[in-house]
Each structure stands twice: as structure tokens, then as C-alpha cells.
Amino acid sequence: MTRVALIAHDDEKPEMIDLAQSYESTLSEFDLVGTGTTSKRIMAETDLTVERKESGPMGGDTQIGAEVAEGRMDGIIFLRDPLTAQPHEPDISALLRICDVHDVPLATTRTSAEYILDGLVRDEADD
């Protein structure tokens, strides 16, 4: 089953909720994982089930990065706030780097997220 991580900085959580609602039928076919608050909000506002990791500042980004390194992640949707400094920026940079190293698609905007989700659906259909 396709495994996708959903992560959003605080100012981007409303956009992530909107994305999850718009793509709910697609996302329901995936094995979803996400950071703490993002996962909690998605599950509260949709019928999706999301495996909750720690919040980003508490190590959730690192936990997801470990899954990338283990070959267990097919895509990451990480709606980042580029205008606000994050206290766990080294963890964020490590996640971005590990996705590059392991060639795992990573979206940081709504538009790129839609492209990745549509691509993952096509990949599943081809298998």
C-alpha cells in the first residue's frame, strides 16, 4: 500500500486540512502517517485515519525521515511556512535531505502536493 506522510507548520494547517478534504477519497486509499497536531486535526475534520508521530519540534520530522531512510515512505506532503523561523529547522533540513538522498517525492506547496498525489494514484493504477 502506498505510504504518504502529511506534515504542516502551524500557519499551513488550514491549507493541509483543505487539501485532505479535497483529496479525501484518494487519501483513504493510502497508508497515512503524520506529525502530531497535523494528524490530529486531519482526523478530526475528515474520516481519514492517520498514524500519529510526535509533533515536529518533538521529533516527528525525524521519525518520518527514518521511515524514508528505511524505504517505507512513498511520498511526503510537507506544507512549510517559509516566512517563519522554526525552532527545529535542523530536523526539517534533515528530512528534506533524506528525501533527496532516497529519491522520495516531497511537496512543500499545495500545487506540488496535488501533483504528487495525482502521480501516486497513477503509479498505483499502473501496478
Side-chain angles (χ1 to χ4, degrees):
M1 177 177 266
T2 301
R3 188 162 173 83
V4 176
L6 304 173
I7 308 166
H9 286 151
D10 289 345
D11 287 348
E12 300 298 322
K13 284 183 181 18
E15 187 71 33
M16 177 62 83
I17 300 305
D18 186 64
L19 176 72
Q21 290 170 336
S22 297
Y23 279 79
E24 188 165 353
S25 65
T26 297
L27 291 170
S28 69
E29 300 297 319
F30 295 160
D31 184 19
L32 301 175
V33 61
T35 50
T37 307
T38 302
S39 298
K40 184 178 180 179
R41 292 214 29 213
I42 290 169
M43 288 190 293
E45 300 191 39
T46 68
D47 289 327
L48 296 169
T49 300
V50 184
E51 178 187 332
R52 287 182 71 193
K53 301 292 186 183
E54 296 291 330
S55 69
M58 299 303 291
D61 300 330
T62 303
Q63 289 176 303
I64 291 170
E67 290 200 32
V68 172
E70 294 167 352
R72 296 179 25 207
M73 198 64 60
D74 298 299
I76 311 259
I77 308 298
F78 188 168
L79 300 184
R80 300 173 59 211
D81 178 358
L83 302 178
T84 303
Q86 301 296 323
H88 60 295
E89 192 64 41
D91 294 343
I92 295 166
S93 295
L95 177 60
L96 302 177
R97 182 175 106 28
I98 204 75
C99 285
D100 288 346
V101 167
H102 290 276
D103 196 25
V104 172
L106 168 74
T108 59
T109 66
R110 170 73 182 250
T111 301
S112 61
E114 292 174 350
Y115 274 88
I116 285 178
L117 293 173
D118 292 342
L120 290 170
V121 168
R122 278 194 308 276
D123 285 351
E124 260 195 1
D126 290 344
D127 288 343

